[in-house]
Amino acid sequence: QVQLVESGGGLVQPGGSLRLSCAASVGIFSINAMRWYRQAPGKERELVASITSGGTTNYADSAKGRFTISRDNANNTVYLQMSSLKPHDTAVYYCNAVGVRTLTNWYPELWGQGALVTVSS
């Protein structure tokens, strides 16, 4: 079964850094865009950053200058490097893959299970 597996969440102090990873399962031939969303308690899910297969990136205003999204196309993995973290960055972070093609199937999008990031002293 095709799936996205996230790792790297945890507790970090304000001002600290953390890197999230999201690896797609084997058997994936290509992925168009990959994105990171987050959902804070009591709030709607919001887009944090995205990256196309060609490497074009976009960021939410809240992430600009602090977060960096990158991807390893050979391994179908996307990363989110987060720095200067603030308490309001606390949320569950979700990986999203758009336009996933395997040798036999095509999926409009896939979601990871979520990784909790807590920014607190």
Side-chain angles (χ1 to χ4, degrees), residues 97-100 106-110:
V98 179
V100 181
W106 182 82
Y107 303 87
E109 68 175 352
L110 295 173

Side-chain angles (χ1 to χ4, degrees), residues 25-37:
S25 60
V26 296
I28 291 179
F29 180 69
S30 66
I31 301 174
N32 288 341
M34 300 190 80
R35 302 166 177 165
W36 286 98
Y37 287 79

Side-chain angles (χ1 to χ4, degrees), residues 3-115:
Q3 58 181 350
L4 303 176
V5 179
E6 302 178 29
S7 60
L11 173 64
V12 62
Q13 292 187 342
S17 299
L18 206 61
R19 189 176 84 153
L20 301 178
S21 300
C22 173
S25 60
V26 296
I28 291 179
F29 180 69
S30 66
I31 301 174
N32 288 341
M34 300 190 80
R35 302 166 177 165
W36 286 98
Y37 287 79
R38 69 183 182 186
Q39 187 166 19
K43 295 188 177 181
E44 294 186 355
R45 190 173 297 187
E46 63 174 353
L47 178 63
V48 176
S50 64
I51 185 167
T52 67
S53 58
T56 300
T57 59
N58 278 290
Y59 297 91
D61 287 343
S62 59
K64 287 179 181 177
R66 300 188 301 126
F67 293 3
T68 301
I69 188 171
S70 60
R71 64 188 285 177
D72 177 352
N73 288 332
N75 294 302
N76 291 313
T77 301
V78 64
Y79 305 95
L80 185 68
Q81 177 68 48
M82 303 182 290
S83 60
S84 301
L85 284 162
K86 306 173 183 179
H88 71 244
D89 293 316
T90 295
V92 177
Y93 285 71
Y94 295 93
C95 171
N96 171 256
V98 179
V100 181
R101 183 176 301 280
T102 68
L103 290 178
T104 57
N105 288 295
W106 182 82
Y107 303 87
E109 68 175 352
L110 295 173
W111 288 90
Q113 81 282 5

